[in-house]
Amino acid sequence: MPPGCDTIVKSMAGPRAGPSTRGALHLFPFDQPTAAFAGLAIIALSYIVFGLTGFGASLMTVPILSHFYPVPFVLALACILDLSGSMMLGWRRRKEADKSELTWLLPFSLIGAAGGVTLLVNLPRTVIVIGLGIFIASYGLYSLLAPAQKKPVSRRWAPLAGFMGGASGAMFGMGGPPVAIYITRRIMDKSRLMATVSVGVGFNLAIRLLVFLAAGVLFQGELIPALLIFGPAAMLGISIGSRLHLSMPTANLLRVVYVVLIFSGASLVIRNAVLAH
């Protein structure tokens, strides 16, 4: 394993699993209805949100499925499903994606990923994660309650958004919210917004997948049967979410995005400030 990769994966996994989750794969095998049906339902619902917003599924799947399966396994499963979903949405809407925005975002996402690894090694992880969670949840709450902003933000924010997305993806396995925050304030057209979010988030997921590959997290024997079981549920959820997206006004779509941001920020704070103790 390359130096530092095991540290990265442990950081992305969050607090160390307790007795109820350690060895959970043996307690809840795939052929046991409780875990299988719960996983199918959770993943289907989570990927309906993903189909609507272009991100956010792992914010729900990872915390909940971690009660049934070991965290590294859940992270690997969520990463592959999220990347597959982003590729699915991004390919469908690739012509609508705003290439000028992505040109500014993606290079800084790469720099952010490298910077995230550096920060991971040198700064207290819990403080950073809680701070990021508070910021994301506060922004989502403010955007949900504040009057609609008609004026787009300056493109000067793109380097910061790209860097934050890459860094938070490498450090915490959650690169979607910073990218979504920026794009929702730059693009008002619903189709272009969704297409650009899908491509931007997909790029961050590809970086995360490479980290997992280098760390050996993807080489788990249970991962292939899990993908065969849970993959169709995720694709069904994305299909339903995409259909809902077509009939949903832009204002309502943005509300869904902001609610997901609140949920994601709160889950980060709870997992690291409450469940870690």
Side-chain angles (χ1 to χ4, degrees), residues 153-179:
V153 298
S154 170
R155 184 169 281 172
R156 294 176 181 176
W157 289 99
L160 179 61
F163 182 89
M164 289 288 291
S168 60
M171 295 171 70
F172 321 123
M174 196 179 83
V179 174

Side-chain angles (χ1 to χ4, degrees), residues 124-146:
R125 176 190 175 277
T126 301
V127 174
I128 297 174
V129 177
I130 293 174
L132 178 68
I134 292 173
F135 168 74
I136 291 173
S138 299
Y139 178 85
L141 185 62
Y142 167 78
S143 300
L144 193 65
L145 300 178

Side-chain angles (χ1 to χ4, degrees), residues 93-109:
R93 302 163 178 164
R94 64 190 185 281
K95 294 182 179 178
E96 298 174 288
D98 193 319
K99 296 179 178 60
S100 63
E101 297 293 351
L102 293 171
T103 301
W104 280 90
L105 283 170
L106 301 187
F108 289 97
S109 294

Side-chain angles (χ1 to χ4, degrees), residues 2 5 10 15 19 28 41 43 46 49-50 58 81 83 90 98 105 126 146 152 156 165 170 207-208 231 255 274:
C5 284
K10 288 177 183 176
F28 296 95
I43 285 178
S46 299
V49 175
F50 191 95
S58 61
L81 291 178
L83 182 57
D98 193 319
L105 283 170
T126 301
R156 294 176 181 176
I207 295 174
R208 195 182 316 164
R255 290 190 188 98
V274 179

Side-chain angles (χ1 to χ4, degrees), residues 12 72 74 78 103 123 153 224 232 247 269 272 274-276:
M12 294 169 75
V74 173
T103 301
L123 294 179
V153 298
I224 292 178
S247 60
V269 173
N272 289 274
V274 179
L275 300 183

Side-chain angles (χ1 to χ4, degrees), residues 42-52 57 61 78 81-82 233-234 237-238 241:
I42 292 161
I43 285 178
L45 290 172
S46 299
Y47 282 91
I48 289 175
V49 175
F50 191 95
L52 271 170
T61 56
L81 291 178
D82 281 3
I238 290 173

Side-chain angles (χ1 to χ4, degrees), residues 30-83:
F30 289 115
D31 58 356
Q32 187 173 25
T34 302
F37 286 132
L40 288 169
I42 292 161
I43 285 178
L45 290 172
S46 299
Y47 282 91
I48 289 175
V49 175
F50 191 95
L52 271 170
T53 65
F55 78 106
S58 61
L59 307 173
M60 290 172 275
T61 56
V62 171
I64 299 175
L65 289 183
S66 295
H67 293 287
F68 297 95
Y69 304 107
V71 173
F73 170 81
V74 173
L75 283 171
L77 176 67
C79 182
I80 294 175
L81 291 178
D82 281 3
L83 182 57

